[in-house]
Amino acid sequence: MELTFIKRLNWLLTGLVSVLMLVSLVVQTSHFNTLFRPQAEPELARKAEVVGSYIVAQIDRAVSLGFEVEKLNGVDEILADALAVNPDVNYIALMVGDRIAAFAGAPEARAGDVLAARDADGAVAGRYIDAALTVGGGVPALLHVGVPAGSVEAALNDIVFDLGSVLIVAILLNIEILLLVVGSSVTAPLQRVGDVLKEGAEGRLTLRTGLRGRDEVGHLGRAIDRALDVMRDADGAAPQQQGANAAEAPAAGDRIVTMQRISELRFAIFVFALAEELTRTFLSVYIKDLFEPVPGLSKELVIGAPIALFMLLWAVAQPIAGNVSERRGRRTVFLAGAVFSALGLLGSGLATDLIQLIVARCLTAVGYASVFIAAQGFVIDATDPRRRAGAIALYAGGILTAGVCGPAIGGVVADQIGFRMTFIVSATLALAAALMAWHLLPRHVDSGKAKTRGLRLRDVGVCLTNPRFVAVTLFSAVPAKFGLTALLFFLLPLALDDSGVSQSWIGRVLLLYWLMMIVASPLVAHLSDRSGRRTPFLAIGGVIAAGAAYVLANSGTLPMTITGVALLGLAHALVNTPQMALLAESCVRERSTLGETTVIGMFRLIERMGSVVAPFLAGLFLAYYGYHGAMKGIGIVLAACVAAQLLLLAATGGRPSADLPQKDPA
């Protein structure tokens, strides 16, 4: 049943709300300068006077004891200390007569023994707000405290950029809420109506919509149920047959009701994934703040350890959690994982040393693996094969949206309340997701469902003997995860933080990666399916990823960094979608022998190894070559993987021409 009207309604509402928010942003931005600049500049001048008066008081005291202003020692140190605690002050200068006796601050504010911040006639240059305070003593002396006039504009621009980030996040949140509301209230009920009518058209008259709402959809459902009751009675079915069919009806009804919960589960997954994404911009910086020397290990390797262990446990715990969820139920594993994650995030925020942080991050990793595998299992259980791909895409969309919203929100929140409080906010979100799952997921375990076996060690050998599996997995999927973790999650936040970039700006920069993924991935999927050729997309994506690393390595400015991040997002959009299609085409025999679930599980497990290795290798490069050299090294590794992938695929010839029957062994 194609619900084109529902899709149009979603887009119409989203577009309308987005336009209204955009207009609001433009109006606010246009009034910022006229409203706030006249108030901000006098405040900056007053602050400069306050900073200067503190220093003047110290100098005046020395003068009152009989010292001459021009012969005072240690004034440069006093000025430097005052500048250190007031980073928004550009310079502080003690002028005795027409000459500088002591100075601290930006070199461009000084020209020899005079202030470059003042014009030839002595007036303050337009780019500075300068407060001049008289210093006591017999010799005319002034203390100049200068604040860049552009700091007002920079602060206002930061507000505008924050509002722009909030606009993007608000639009995506609006989409999530619309999907939740429209999906649960309109889309899913109409799908239930369609399924019931289809069953009735095929002569099965026992299935009912079960809709009891007081809205139009509820009235429609009850009318259809009454019509089916009349048709069944008129059909004259035997009582025993009616009883048997009635016994089957609740099970079929439960299946349809369960499908309604997928759109609701997407929102729970979005909230849960948002909890981790909030910490993405500052996690490596937070780890650096807790660093303690470890004998025999460099600082960079120690900083990479918590990230690497998180990725390793996430990879290892997924198949184990999947097996447990088969036996204990999706709801139990989801709730346990959400609680583990909340405790891990809370522990991360309260950690006082690196060991405590590592333990907390390991607990979070187990929780995240459990939640995602349980949610994915529920989606598979609740859908038939015809709708499974769309349902999984719907579920995965919540994770991708959280990847966009998280860094932008997390950067602003961390700037305002600090790293530790942001972890506590994340823990609260994880618990909120657990509460949603408590109401959504079924309490019982479906004992009649076929059990799938977990991964076995010998499966590794079966898959790795296929060179095309090796090409796709080891030289495409693993490098993609390696580049993402090494560049975006480890090196870039550290480099930007060391350059003095605020957490808000780091969040905005990382946001671009996910935006590129959201925009480019559907187009790539369409082009890949239309052409039927997957290898060119993987090769081009790999080359662009290596180029992105080179751009980041040579980015001396924020615009260049933004370009590099956008290129990395485009590269991974080109790679990720065709990967799974090429895997299916290249592993026909393995899918037939082991089952598709096992092959995909093996692929995901090996793929995660890229994320595990990334922090250690990036830390090693960083220790020896610095940020720029480390990023160049990452680019070289990515380029080498592309070359190896192309050689392997070329050596193995064309893809299989026919698909083999598959099985999913117990």
Side-chain angles (χ1 to χ4, degrees), residues 247-272:
E248 295 173 3
D254 287 345
R255 177 182 62 82
I256 296 177
V257 170
T258 302
M259 291 180 62
Q260 178 180 349
R261 298 177 181 171
I262 294 176
S263 60
E264 299 169 354
L265 179 67
R266 172 188 168 119
F267 192 75
I269 285 294
F270 165 75
V271 172
F272 183 81

Side-chain angles (χ1 to χ4, degrees), residues 90-109:
N90 189 260
Y91 64 86
I92 306 175
L94 176 61
M95 299 283 294
V96 178
D98 295 329
R99 300 290 180 181
I100 294 178
F103 180 86
E108 61 269 16

Side-chain angles (χ1 to χ4, degrees), residues 200-217:
E202 294 176 358
R204 294 183 286 274
L205 305 177
T206 54
L207 194 60
R208 299 293 178 267
T209 65
L211 297 172
R212 297 294 179 264
R214 297 183 180 180
D215 55 7
E216 289 79 359
V217 177

Side-chain angles (χ1 to χ4, degrees), residues 176-247:
E176 291 299 320
I177 293 172
L178 281 176
L179 285 172
L180 173 65
V181 174
V182 177
S184 60
S185 302
V186 182
T187 307
L190 289 181
Q191 284 180 337
R192 291 167 64 184
V193 168
D195 283 348
V196 170
L197 291 177
K198 183 178 180 181
E199 292 286 318
E202 294 176 358
R204 294 183 286 274
L205 305 177
T206 54
L207 194 60
R208 299 293 178 267
T209 65
L211 297 172
R212 297 294 179 264
R214 297 183 180 180
D215 55 7
E216 289 79 359
V217 177
H219 291 316
L220 174 64
R222 287 194 296 274
I224 291 174
D225 289 346
R226 286 194 298 269
L228 289 172
D229 288 339
V230 172
M231 291 174 63
R232 187 185 62 182
D233 293 340
D235 190 50
Q240 63 270 20
Q241 184 64 31
Q242 290 183 15
N245 290 341

Side-chain angles (χ1 to χ4, degrees), residues 465-486:
T465 54
N466 183 343
R468 296 182 68 83
F469 177 88
V470 173
V472 175
T473 306
L474 291 184
F475 297 112
S476 181
V478 171
K481 290 296 182 185
F482 171 77
L484 175 64
T485 304

Side-chain angles (χ1 to χ4, degrees), residues 76 101 236 323 364 448 572:
D76 288 299
N323 185 265
T364 306
H572 289 170

